[in-house]
Amino acid sequence: SSGKSSVLESVVGKDFLPRGSGIVTRRPLVLQLHKIDEGREYAEFMHLPRKKFADFAAVRQEIADETDRETGRNKGISSVPIHLSIYSPHVVNLTLVDLPGLTKVAVDGQHEGIVQDIENMVRGFIEKPNCIILAISPANQDLATSDAIKISREVDPKGERTFGVLTKIDLMDKGTDASEILEGKSYKLNFPWIGVVNRSQADINKQVDMIAARKRENEYFANTPEYRHLASRMGSVHLGKVLSKHLETVIKSRIPGLQSLINKTIIELETELNRIGKPIAADTGGKLYTIMEICRTFDQIFKDHLDGIRPGGEKIYQVFDNQFPASLKRLQFDKHLSMDNVRKLITEADGYQPHLIAPEQGYRRLIESCLVSIRGPAEAAVDAVHGILKDLIQKSMSETMFSFGCRN
């Protein structure tokens, strides 16, 4: 509730983010701003390709709907981002990520671990060395208790990529002001603090547009005695320009490292290509010949494993020579073939009646009872052989591709 979504809307110049009480931002929103020379402003979602949104109220509704599709309506969160691009002549080229606000307690409908989940999600983004951190804190609360500043200090102790933004300056108690913070006296950062004045809820209800809101913001800093000397570096427009310029500086400083990484990757890929061998034929006949060669190579390698020329096939023999016979020896066939059990099965099968030859049904039941006992060890042996064969197939495939690559 520090007003971070309002800050993003001020930078964009459009009212497009969902609002409400509690945790409204429940998924990361990756917002890409694209400055165009002229034309109508519009937005596009990555999950809705080729669909342009000219109505930003529809953008707000789609963000809410897409959030619910992933998290449900139970106030849960998800680290799966929503990607939104906005094209406008009134923005600077910039990529922003709106994250769920840090919280201290779970509310009704949320699991107890949500506090830690949100912090882990935020850390996952701001720990990246190429990320610029926008630590947004409300001026009407003690800055010493700011979670945004605290976590920013932990991941960026030197403050090389942290910008402090102070919101709700106009809501401070009478007789107090934020000049010492904005001047960097009470809490110093490497970069100057930037103060913003967002639209109030009453302004939002009256549908005050962003142009009027920005004009009112500029007038506030220019006409308030405590902030008049800082007016040139206050406001959401200045914030957008500063971030865009700093991002450009960061990109320029990273280019040599990126070039070195690219060159290293190219060398590694070329080495791998040389190891694999020359390209295979591009025509249909050549491809068919190559496939047949691969199959023949695999067939021979797999056969070598089974015949013991290559390692691995002996495990199958161990199953049938050791594991399976040992399991059979542990079975209690003496009980199945005892006179009492034979007499019982024959009697149950044919009853008390004279026979010239032994009753067939009794034999069948005797055999079936023995087969039931054997089934467990037999299935275990089959499973063991199946697992060995799977490993041998995978190994043979790897050896085939390696052999084929070296040969070519």
Side-chain angles (χ1 to χ4, degrees):
S1 301
S2 59
K4 58 186 177 54
S5 294
S6 296
V7 171
L8 289 185
E9 288 184 333
S10 298
V11 172
V12 176
K14 285 291 179 183
D15 188 357
F16 69 97
L17 292 172
R19 295 180 178 275
S21 59
I23 302 176
V24 179
T25 305
R26 295 187 285 121
R27 287 178 63 183
L29 176 68
V30 179
L31 177 63
Q32 293 181 307
L33 305 182
H34 303 270
K35 184 176 179 61
I36 56 177
D37 295 333
E38 57 184 15
R40 190 176 180 183
E41 299 168 297
Y42 66 94
E44 289 182 340
F45 287 94
M46 184 182 288
H47 64 274
L48 295 173
R50 296 182 296 279
K51 182 176 181 180
K52 295 183 178 181
F53 289 78
D55 181 4
F56 282 82
V59 173
R60 183 191 310 114
Q61 186 59 49
E62 180 58 30
I63 292 173
D65 292 343
E66 179 62 13
T67 298
D68 288 341
R69 290 185 199 113
E70 180 67 27
T71 65
R73 300 179 180 273
N74 59 351
K75 299 182 181 180
I77 65 165
S78 170
S79 59
V80 179
I82 299 173
H83 292 267
L84 172 65
S85 295
I86 293 180
Y87 300 82
S88 169
H90 308 301
V91 300
V92 291
N93 292 313
L94 192 64
T95 298
L96 299 162
V97 182
D98 187 19
L99 295 168
L102 296 167
T103 184
K104 291 183 173 63
V105 293
V107 299
D108 290 342
Q110 297 175 340
H111 63 91
E112 291 298 324
I114 194 170
V115 176
Q116 190 61 47
D117 290 346
I118 293 176
E119 182 174 333
N120 292 340
M121 183 194 303
V122 172
R123 285 182 182 275
F125 279 90
I126 67 175
E127 284 178 346
K128 297 174 182 176
N130 292 337
C131 167
I132 299 171
I133 304 170
L134 210 58
I136 299 175
S137 302
N140 57 354
Q141 293 181 15
D142 186 359
L143 201 61
T145 64
S146 171
D147 292 320
I149 295 296
K150 177 178 176 292
I151 196 171
S152 299
R153 283 290 193 191
E154 292 175 5
V155 301
D156 180 33
K158 295 181 180 180
E160 296 174 343
R161 51 193 183 88
T162 300
F163 282 82
V165 179
L166 210 59
T167 62
K168 303 186 180 182
I169 296 174
D170 54 327
L171 301 181
M172 296 183 71
D173 293 337
K174 289 185 178 181
T176 62
D177 62 77
S179 57
E180 289 196 355
I181 297 174
L182 296 175
E183 291 170 357
K185 295 178 181 179
S186 63
Y187 197 93
K188 186 174 180 59
L189 294 174
N190 286 11
F191 303 101
W193 280 84
I194 299 175
V196 296
V197 175
N198 297 321
R199 293 178 301 166
S200 64
Q201 189 59 49
D203 292 334
I204 295 170
N205 295 339
K206 293 177 184 177
Q207 296 183 341
V208 175
D209 61 32
M210 287 296 177
I211 297 175
R214 285 176 172 177
K215 183 179 179 182
R216 186 183 300 176
E217 181 183 46
N218 292 336
E219 290 174 350
Y220 176 84
F221 286 112
N223 298 329
T224 303
E226 292 83 0
Y227 309 123
R228 191 175 297 151
H229 63 294
L230 303 170
S232 61
R233 60 178 182 85
M234 294 291 117
S236 53
V237 174
H238 176 73
L239 173 63
K241 291 178 180 178
V242 167
L243 290 177
S244 182
K245 188 171 183 62
H246 184 71
L247 182 61
E248 183 181 339
T249 303
V250 170
I251 291 171
K252 287 180 179 178
S253 68
R254 297 287 192 272
I255 286 176
L258 289 174
Q259 288 177 327
S260 176
L261 178 62
I262 290 170
N263 291 333
K264 180 183 177 184
T265 305
I266 290 173
I267 293 172
E268 290 175 351
L269 289 174
E270 287 177 344
T271 304
E272 180 68 12
L273 287 173
N274 291 332
R275 187 188 69 80
I276 292 173
K278 297 178 182 179
I280 62 173
D283 60 288
T284 304
K287 289 179 181 178
L288 181 60
Y289 175 80
T290 302
I291 291 171
M292 294 302 296
E293 276 290 291
I294 293 173
C295 291
R296 277 192 288 268
T297 304
F298 171 81
D299 178 67
Q300 186 59 50
I301 291 174
F302 188 59
K303 185 174 182 298
D304 289 346
H305 279 294
L306 293 179
D307 291 343
I309 299 173
R310 293 173 183 258
E314 72 280 356
K315 294 179 181 178
I316 297 176
Y317 294 100
Q318 290 175 4
V319 171
F320 290 115
D321 289 347
N322 298 317
Q323 178 183 324
F324 187 47
S327 298
L328 293 180
K329 287 178 181 178
R330 287 194 292 268
L331 298 177
Q332 297 178 336
F333 283 113
D334 54 337
K335 289 186 177 180
H336 288 283
L337 301 177
S338 67
M339 289 302 296
D340 290 339
N341 191 50
V342 170
R343 186 182 297 110
K344 177 175 177 291
L345 288 174
I346 292 175
T347 302
E348 289 176 351
D350 291 273
Y352 291 100
Q353 53 184 309
H355 292 280
L356 293 176
I357 58 174
E360 179 184 346
Q361 191 64 27
Y363 278 126
R364 286 183 178 277
R365 292 201 179 181
L366 184 63
I367 293 170
E368 286 173 359
S369 66
C370 292
L371 289 176
V372 169
S373 300
I374 296 173
R375 182 173 181 175
E379 288 181 345
V382 170
D383 290 340
V385 172
H386 182 255
I388 295 169
L389 289 175
K390 282 179 64 178
D391 292 339
L392 289 180
I393 289 171
Q394 291 289 339
K395 192 173 183 181
S396 299
M397 288 177 64
S398 299
E399 292 173 359
T400 299
M401 299 315 296
F402 178 77
S403 173
F404 186 80
C406 289
R407 217 172 46 234
N408 284 275

